[in-house]
Amino acid sequence: MPIKFLPPLRFLNPSLPVTRFPLMNVGLSLNTPRPIPIFSRVFPFKLKYLGFASQFSTRSFRPEPIRSRPEFSRLTGGGVERGESRPSKSLIEDEAELSDWVSDLRTNSIRGQVTSEDEPDSDMGRRSRSKTGRARETDSGGNKGGGAGGFSMKRRRESNSNEFSEPTRRRTESRFGSPTTNRGTVGLPKERRGRRERDLGVKRDGKGLRGKRGFTDDDVVDSGEDERKGLMQNLGGLITEEESDGDDDGGNDNGFFEKKALSSIGLENDFEVKDRPSLSANSDSFMSETRFDQCSISPLSLKGINHAGYEKMTVVQAATLPIILKGKDVLAKAKTGTGKTVAFLLPSIEVVVKSPPHDRDQKRPPILVLVVCPTRELATQAATEAKVLLKYHPAIGVQVVIGGVRIALEQKSMQANLCQILVATPGRLKDHIENTAGFATRLMGVKVLVLDEADRLLDMGFRKDIEKIIAAIPKQRQTLMFSATVPEEVRQICHSALKRDHEFINTVQEGAEDTHSKVRQMHVVAPLDKQFPFLYAILKDHMADDPDYKVIVFCTTARVTGLVARLLGELNLNIREIHSRKAQTYRTRVSDEFRKSKSLILVTSDVSARGVDYPDVTLVIQVGLPASREQYIHRLGRTGRKGKEGEGILLLAPWEEFFLSTVKDLPITKAPVPSIDPDTKKKMERALSQVDMNSKESAYQAWLGYYNSQKKVGNDKHRLVELANEFSRSMGLDTPPAIPKLVLGKMGLRNVPGLRSK
Ligand SMILES: Nc1ncnc2c1ncn2[C@@H]1O[C@H](COP(=O)(O)OP(=O)(O)OP(=O)(O)O)[C@@H](O)[C@H]1O
């Protein structure tokens, strides 16, 4: 029986959408079998203290019977293996190149320039990039409404809706080179516009909101998303995309609800609800009114915060910081782009600050904080953010270990440099645990474990690695888990890593959507043969509407991403591509370029779905079935960050429409169907004919592999093959490409009519 959650606790002010309560512990830890918790232990205290007790029933928290719960500890034997272990071969062949790259992680070191060479496996960027990183094609930016015709989703900027404080704005501009913009409500139906304006707090006088904003980057592991597609990746990587793509302190030690929790912000002597850290009145806002200097943060960290341009905390930071600083384990849910990275980094840094100074002669100095991220880009980005915050802590060092970098170089780097904080992707971390001399000893110093994108890390693609990692660090530690999505299954297995009395801090208001109301979500349903023209039409329309466009197009697999990138390149759009088939140096370079650019389209797989903080993305297009509801939300979350506006379009085939029922709680409306004029049709056919056969063959195989692994589509093999052949025709092929017999066998598709084998 699913666990029911409490109604929201609006304990700071009526607008504060923070719900926190401890999860029941079902005692299925990796290492320590625990008793079934006495669940109501904490609540009576909290509720009584605030006089809210009557609002809650602890009944709804009764845990499920233990037998029905997934047991994390059993995964050792039963989990699905990742498709492949992290390759030990180096993708960065040259040590100097690596050190350049590593030093790029320094404060403000995001690469400003994109070199003209691509990795050998890519000719895409070369074709579409000029020296300045701008489109060489004129057809893209300036052609108002151009040949695609008719598909209009006009937006207008809200002149004044940036909620950023001055310092933040300054920082943003200096980091990314241009001021931010916000989007308005023009073009929406009247009633939707009204609702949206209410959501935004937009006044009709056009003054709009005060703004906010954010920054990041991501990496789905070389193991990340791709890993989720685990077994299928064994098929020669054909469909692979993303990286694989002390216990209780007992008692009533419960954060915001206690006087004690407020001591850190100096409010304990005069405790009343109205005195608690308050948040913005706008329920959609991600900023709180609490300043960082109201928390017990070390002066040097405060300087770092200031240097980063942050003054007030975001909601998730305000809600979690006091609790984490007290040493509690936390599982936190907060919408995309709302500052979760700082929320876990800052208190982690404070743990290092409070630890005994590091002895420079120590052979194996302890790693004190271990941050695990599902993708390389995300790990890199978190390390970059840590370096920003550590600017005034010269004795504290951050290192990053990720797939795609030669392991020996990482070993050297960890030995030669300060490394109290280690940011890692799971597969590479596991490699170090197994292969790096002295690393296991260093890990025994871990005081804080952070699982960023926790739900992703706990799903099947990563569980075995995470299990191994948890087994390699002390049980007596603090564990922090953050994500924008915390599905029920994750709630039920998170106990394997968290203490029994951990706090679940949910900053998404009960009944509210997991997505931002400022992001307009739409879907278009079209048969496969219409999808490429529609995609083109949508892009052209968006570019015509907004010269500062910055679009991300998500595709289902790496190979399909490659195909779409080639096709859009042939259509003279200014595109870049990122997916797991690209070398890490290339990925890093493109990611950095896209972060700073405007008038650019990033075609990507799910390696970019989570955590990556590209500022000012105007539109996210998802082509084909998202791997899950969560993945849809994370992908969409690449736009509308830090309170900004954005748009999302989901392009589905009619037989993929069932996905909409999994997101029916989200405000996804039907978009007008783009009209394709004969000229565009011709252009598309020509472009398709220019795309090399190799890309089409790989995309076909990958497509088949991906949908074969999607239960609802893959269960009927005959139908699956019919659809795959429809996809093949949509690429302009009369005959579907032949697939190696071995691959077909592994996919369970041997002898299915309609397939050609070789
Ligand atoms: N206190 C703050 N004030 C202003 N901006 C902030 C603050 N904290 C973080 N940010 C900015 O907010 C942006 C989003 O932060 P971050 O990438 O950590 O979001 P997130 O919640 O982790 O998103 P996702 O769910 O997509 O991973 C970043 O650009 C970051 O620099």
Side-chain angles (χ1 to χ4, degrees):
M1 194 183 98
I3 300 158
K4 292 233 176 95
F5 299 129
L6 284 175
L9 304 185
R10 295 167 192 185
F11 52 90
L12 296 185
N13 70 26
S15 70
L16 173 59
V18 178
T19 305
R20 38 185 286 280
F21 49 82
L23 283 172
M24 50 288 170
N25 188 306
V26 291
L28 297 176
S29 119
L30 278 174
N31 302 308
T32 328
R34 288 176 177 160
I36 297 174
I38 298 168
F39 190 64
S40 55
R41 183 169 64 86
V42 173
F43 283 97
F45 170 81
K46 284 182 176 176
L47 304 176
K48 195 171 111 203
Y49 191 86
L50 288 177
F52 288 164
S54 62
Q55 291 182 29
F56 303 98
S57 156
T58 52
R59 253 180 308 165
S60 55
F61 285 84
R62 196 167 300 128
E64 271 187 282
I66 204 164
R67 65 190 141 68
S68 67
R69 292 170 172 278
E71 293 188 22
F72 200 57
S73 53
R74 286 190 193 146
L75 291 174
T76 312
V80 174
E81 295 279 0
R82 212 174 47 222
E84 52 183 345
S85 60
R86 200 69 43 337
S88 53
K89 83 173 169 179
S90 165
L91 294 175
I92 296 183
E93 301 296 345
D94 172 291
E95 187 155 353
E97 186 182 2
L98 175 71
S99 56
D100 277 351
W101 179 74
V102 169
S103 66
D104 247 10
L105 295 177
R106 279 173 308 182
T107 302
N108 289 336
S109 68
I110 291 169
R111 274 176 210 214
Q113 291 191 333
V114 175
T115 58
S116 58
E117 313 85 34
D118 287 329
E119 298 301 323
D121 67 337
S122 168
D123 58 353
M124 200 65 234
R126 217 175 4 245
R127 276 188 281 123
S128 56
R129 181 190 302 151
S130 75
K131 263 191 184 157
T132 58
R134 292 277 306 191
R136 90 188 141 113
E137 306 302 345
T138 50
D139 191 28
S140 51
N143 183 4
K144 291 253 168 207
F151 185 70
S152 181
M153 289 179 292
K154 305 261 183 257
R155 305 154 317 270
R156 188 200 52 183
R157 300 217 174 100
E158 219 88 277
S159 58
N160 214 1
S161 60
N162 197 321
E163 289 183 22
F164 269 159
S165 61
E166 200 50 47
T168 307
R169 206 175 308 128
R170 250 186 280 120
R171 165 181 170 258
T172 304
E173 288 171 17
S174 68
R175 278 170 97 165
F176 305 120
S178 61
T180 59
T181 56
N182 284 284
R183 303 185 162 283
T185 59
V186 169
L188 294 177
K190 202 171 161 201
E191 67 285 7
R192 174 107 174 91
R193 190 162 67 220
R195 182 184 148 208
R196 199 160 172 217
E197 288 176 348
R198 272 197 310 282
D199 287 344
L200 298 174
V202 175
K203 289 190 195 134
R204 289 223 177 250
D205 64 4
K207 288 215 172 117
L209 289 178
R210 293 168 56 232
K212 323 177 168 204
R213 50 132 314 120
F215 140 115
T216 351
D217 198 15
D218 145 333
D219 169 23
V220 180
V221 197
D222 271 356
S223 33
E225 285 314 302
D226 286 349
E227 284 181 297
R228 188 186 51 72
K229 291 158 194 168
L231 292 173
M232 298 312 296
Q233 293 184 358
N234 280 336
L235 309 178
L238 288 171
I239 65 163
T240 151
E241 240 356 56
E242 306 44 60
E243 283 302 308
S244 310
D245 149 338
D247 213 43
D248 316 333
D249 45 24
N252 300 318
D253 193 12
N254 291 295
F256 269 119
F257 291 92
E258 291 186 76
K259 277 188 181 178
K260 264 201 286 175
L262 294 166
S263 63
S264 62
I265 49 175
L267 296 172
E268 74 278 23
N269 295 329
D270 193 15
F271 174 67
E272 279 181 35
V273 172
K274 67 180 164 56
D275 291 321
R276 292 197 189 102
S278 61
L279 301 177
S280 160
N282 180 356
S283 66
D284 198 39
S285 169
F286 86 116
M287 289 305 292
S288 79
E289 289 303 320
T290 311
R291 292 190 321 273
F292 283 98
D293 59 13
Q294 288 175 268
C295 249
S296 55
I297 303 287
S298 64
L300 293 181
S301 292
L302 281 176
K303 269 181 93 174
I305 287 278
N306 194 37
H307 157 74
Y310 309 143
E311 188 194 346
K312 290 181 178 166
M313 294 185 207
T314 66
V315 170
V316 66
Q317 290 159 5
T320 55
L321 204 57
I323 296 160
I324 299 175
L325 285 172
K326 289 173 65 193
K328 297 279 283 190
D329 282 7
V330 160
L331 167 64
K333 175 178 169 181
K335 290 185 187 182
T336 50
T338 58
K340 292 186 284 294
T341 314
V342 170
F344 62 71
L345 283 178
L346 186 57
S348 300
I349 289 169
E350 292 306 284
V351 168
V352 180
V353 169
K354 286 177 193 141
S355 299
H358 160 66
D359 174 1
R360 298 221 174 219
D361 296 330
Q362 211 171 335
K363 202 169 159 222
R364 286 167 183 169
I367 290 162
L368 301 175
V369 174
L370 180 60
V371 179
V372 186
C373 303
T375 70
R376 297 172 185 176
E377 282 82 6
L378 191 48
T380 306
Q381 179 177 283
T384 305
E385 184 77 62
K387 283 179 188 254
V388 172
L389 298 178
L390 284 170
K391 181 168 170 67
Y392 299 98
H393 287 295
I396 302 177
V398 186
Q399 297 293 314
V400 66
V401 293
I402 56 177
V405 176
R406 215 181 328 157
I407 198 162
L409 298 178
E410 292 180 342
Q411 288 164 341
K412 251 191 203 168
S413 186
M414 280 191 288
Q415 203 51 50
N417 300 298
L418 289 166
C419 180
Q420 294 96 329
I421 300 174
L422 183 67
V423 186
T425 50
R428 178 50 63 93
L429 184 58
K430 199 184 79 172
D431 282 357
H432 280 290
I433 292 170
E434 288 166 356
N435 302 316
T436 300
F439 187 73
T441 310
R442 296 186 71 176
L443 277 187
M444 288 317 288
V446 167
K447 293 180 173 179
V448 180
L449 169 69
V450 178
L451 299 183
D452 191 14
E453 308 292 342
D455 56 328
R456 178 71 189 89
L457 290 175
L458 292 178
D459 82 16
M460 293 303 269
F462 285 114
R463 263 193 229 165
K464 285 191 68 137
D465 286 350
I466 296 297
E467 183 184 7
K468 178 120 197 166
I469 291 160
I470 289 178
I473 60 176
K475 277 186 217 155
Q476 287 296 330
R477 62 168 194 271
Q478 186 177 19
T479 304
L480 311 175
M481 293 189 183
F482 281 75
S483 184
T485 50
V486 182
E488 188 57 32
E489 314 86 75
V490 171
R491 296 282 314 279
Q492 299 200 15
I493 59 171
C494 65
H495 318 283
S496 50
L498 293 166
K499 287 181 200 148
R500 187 163 48 182
D501 70 338
H502 71 269
E503 298 275 351
F504 175 49
I505 300 176
N506 182 4
T507 66
V508 182
Q509 205 160 6
E510 180 95 353
E513 293 129 13
D514 286 341
T515 52
H516 294 285
S517 62
K518 288 184 191 176
V519 176
R520 182 160 58 138
Q521 301 174 58
M522 285 168 287
H523 68 81
V524 177
V525 177
L528 290 177
D529 65 336
K530 295 260 167 42
Q531 293 208 345
F532 290 141
F534 279 7
L535 173 63
Y536 181 57
I538 292 167
L539 287 168
K540 292 288 289 182
D541 184 75
H542 185 80
M543 290 179 329
D545 190 35
D546 186 348
D548 285 338
Y549 69 88
K550 187 163 173 176
V551 181
I552 303 183
V553 178
F554 282 103
C555 304
T556 47
T557 76
R559 297 304 196 188
V560 173
T561 302
L563 174 94
V564 172
R566 266 156 199 76
L567 176 62
L568 297 180
E570 292 297 343
L571 288 161
N572 293 331
L573 300 186
N574 190 24
I575 65 108
R576 302 289 182 274
E577 66 180 307
I578 291 185
H579 50 76
S580 61
R581 294 272 143 189
K582 292 290 183 193
Q584 188 53 46
T585 43
Y586 176 88
R587 284 166 64 168
T588 305
R589 199 164 62 219
V590 170
S591 179
D592 290 347
E593 181 195 10
F594 189 68
R595 185 174 289 109
K596 290 183 312 227
S597 300
K598 286 199 160 76
S599 313
L600 200 53
I601 297 165
L602 180 68
V603 187
T604 182
S605 66
D606 277 345
V607 294
S608 308
R610 285 177 176 253
V612 192
D613 190 39
Y614 295 125
D616 305 323
V617 170
T618 53
L619 171 66
V620 166
I621 304 178
Q622 307 190 36
V623 183
L625 193 66
S628 63
R629 167 195 162 79
E630 285 71 36
Q631 209 65 357
Y632 170 85
I633 291 170
H634 285 278
R635 285 161 151 198
L636 182 78
R638 298 317 98 205
T639 185
R641 298 178 74 74
K642 297 205 282 190
K644 292 192 179 171
E645 298 193 2
E647 280 179 5
I649 297 177
L650 175 60
L651 188 48
L652 296 174
W655 43 272
E656 291 172 316
E657 237 182 312
F658 68 87
F659 179 78
L660 294 175
S661 67
T662 67
V663 285
K664 61 174 181 288
D665 57 315
L666 303 178
I668 308 177
T669 57
K670 202 167 176 176
V673 175
S675 63
I676 308 298
D677 57 43
D679 216 40
T680 304
K681 217 171 152 212
K682 260 198 213 127
K683 222 172 165 185
M684 182 58 66
E685 281 164 11
R686 207 176 315 124
L688 276 168
S689 71
Q690 300 293 319
V691 174
D692 60 294
M693 192 58 192
N694 205 19
S695 297
K696 291 179 181 173
E697 283 178 0
S698 309
Y700 173 73
Q701 247 172 238
W703 192 100
L704 195 56
Y706 175 73
Y707 284 97
N708 190 34
S709 70
Q710 300 295 313
K711 261 200 225 139
K712 286 221 168 155
V713 187
N715 278 354
D716 181 344
K717 304 298 181 203
H718 288 82
R719 177 88 180 112
L720 172 72
V721 170
E722 273 171 24
L723 296 173
N725 292 349
E726 198 179 314
F727 176 69
S728 167
R729 285 192 293 278
S730 79
M731 293 188 288
L733 299 178
D734 295 330
T735 319
I739 298 178
K741 281 197 180 88
L742 185 68
V743 174
L744 286 179
K746 288 192 174 173
M747 286 191 202
L749 295 175
R750 206 168 272 168
N751 301 324
V752 180
L755 284 176
R756 293 176 55 235
S757 62
K758 59 181 177 188

